[in-house]
Amino acid sequence: MPLIVVTTSPRVAPGLLSHQAWQALRSGPVLTGNAAHPQLPYLAEAGVEVEVVEPDARELAVRAVAETVVWLAEDDEAFMRAVGNAAIGLDEPPLIEVVPGSYDLPGARVLDLVAVMDRLRTECPWDRKQTHESLVPYLLEEAYEVLETIEQGDYPALREELGDLLLQVVFHARVAEGFDMDDVAEGIVGKLVRRHPHVFGSVRAESADEVNDNWETIKAAERAAKGSESALDGVPMGQPALSLAAQLLRRAERAGVPESLSAAVGQGVARELFDLVRRAAEAGLDAEAELRAAARTYRDRVRTWESSS
């Protein structure tokens, strides 16, 4: 006789079980070791009786030799390993079958992060006192750490750094009073769908350049709908100066601004730097990335000199 283990995901609404799971739950007595298992009310409503027992690995394995037994599991991997070991020790071990009752969809783990952040915001004194303003340094720091791992090609570390950056997004959404994480996600989903009519609509785009042209046209229409009069509206002026100048030049070029307006901007070093950014853009280069690469080379040379001195 088999021991059927039905597993469920805490990230899927209780009661939303697979057809195979419902069949398994009606194939024999159903046991669980958790009196607060979230599936219990829904199983009771469906007429499935569940017996709450003290988890005993050997007793469960022995019982499954004589009859089909269903175990409603919940985050009890260690117990199931013990059941497997107990079954192997029997003269006639039962067949153990695992039936997934529900599956995590892609992105389901973000629900865990939202839940953890809710608890931290409620129970941790430090997290509870934070504001959007106090979190700004951490947001910038995490963004730069992501950038550094990409520049270094350290992709294993990138996973962790992206997690730290994602935390900042969830943290700000939790601090906010007028919206939450669902609103943030809804906003960006709507924007992506709206700006990709070649994917979600009937517009055709055969190349990346066509996609970019469509994107800019849609953005211009959105700015006009908001009453924005300048193509430069929305450019964050707090970003690093080289990337700021480059973004302003890109936006202005797309809007048809005369190139002559970018000449002789500022005085002295400022004028020279702005001109260098313009020349880099004309050459297809990112001035910010180029200077950062030069800075890293200088750092490495200094470290080599220090180690040899």
Side-chain angles (χ1 to χ4, degrees):
M1 293 293 178
L3 167 61
I4 303 177
V5 180
V6 176
T7 61
T8 60
S9 169
R11 301 164 200 90
V12 176
L16 296 180
L17 300 176
S18 65
H19 177 67
Q20 186 181 12
W22 282 113
Q23 287 184 312
L25 290 164
R26 291 188 169 96
S27 64
V30 182
L31 312 177
T32 187
N34 181 10
H37 196 294
Q39 296 289 347
L40 294 184
Y42 301 91
L43 296 183
E45 184 178 350
V48 176
E49 183 178 346
V50 181
E51 181 184 359
V52 179
V53 299
E54 186 68 28
D56 186 313
R58 178 173 173 76
E59 181 178 333
L60 183 60
V62 170
R63 182 171 177 178
V65 173
E67 63 177 332
T68 297
V69 180
V70 181
W71 180 261
L72 183 59
E74 185 194 30
D75 195 24
D76 45 8
E77 182 179 346
F79 175 67
M80 297 317 304
R81 282 200 299 267
V83 172
N85 292 332
I88 293 174
L90 299 176
D91 293 335
E92 297 182 9
L95 174 67
I96 300 179
E97 179 184 357
V98 178
V99 175
S102 55
Y103 301 84
D104 284 347
L105 295 174
R109 291 286 179 173
V110 177
L111 298 176
D112 291 346
L113 178 56
V114 172
V116 167
M117 191 67 250
D118 281 343
R119 185 168 180 180
L120 290 176
R121 185 67 173 170
T122 302
E123 301 179 21
C124 174
W126 188 88
D127 290 274
R128 193 165 53 238
K129 68 180 287 190
Q130 299 311 307
T131 64
H132 292 302
E133 291 74 20
S134 70
L135 290 172
V136 166
Y138 305 103
L139 176 62
L140 294 174
E141 178 182 341
E142 300 301 350
Y144 280 123
E145 288 183 1
V146 168
L147 174 60
E148 185 172 7
T149 59
I150 293 174
E151 289 178 341
Q152 294 175 345
D154 190 355
Y155 297 119
L158 178 60
R159 172 185 172 180
E160 178 180 352
E161 298 303 339
L162 285 173
D164 291 341
L165 184 58
L166 178 59
L167 169 61
Q168 296 305 309
V169 176
V170 175
F171 207 152
H172 278 278
R174 181 61 179 81
V175 169
E177 296 182 358
F179 59 86
D180 58 18
M181 191 61 199
D182 285 328
D183 296 316
V184 172
E186 180 185 29
I188 189 60
V189 167
K191 181 182 291 185
L192 290 174
V193 171
R194 188 170 62 251
R195 293 186 181 179
H196 289 79
H198 56 288
V199 176
F200 302 101
S202 58
V203 174
R204 293 179 60 86
E206 304 297 336
S207 68
D209 287 339
E210 288 182 84
V211 171
N212 190 64
D213 290 342
N214 287 339
W215 180 282
E216 293 302 326
T217 299
I218 294 169
K219 284 178 64 177
E222 291 174 351
R223 286 196 298 270
K226 293 179 180 178
S228 299
E229 299 180 356
S230 172
L232 303 184
D233 288 344
V235 174
M237 300 300 290
Q239 62 183 299
L242 291 181
S243 58
L244 170 61
Q247 186 176 3
L248 290 171
L249 286 165
R250 283 196 304 271
R251 286 278 194 96
E253 180 183 4
R254 290 168 183 163
V257 173
E259 185 178 347
S260 59
L261 294 184
S262 65
V265 173
Q267 297 180 347
V269 173
R271 176 181 298 185
E272 295 176 21
L273 287 172
F274 198 90
D275 186 57
L276 283 173
V277 172
R278 181 179 56 79
R279 287 162 49 193
E282 291 173 352
L285 300 175
D286 183 333
E288 181 77 21
E290 293 296 312
L291 183 57
R292 288 178 62 84
R296 288 197 302 276
T297 299
Y298 178 68
R299 176 202 60 189
D300 294 340
R301 287 182 177 181
V302 170
R303 287 177 174 175
T304 299
W305 176 80
E306 289 174 331
S307 63
S308 62
S309 298

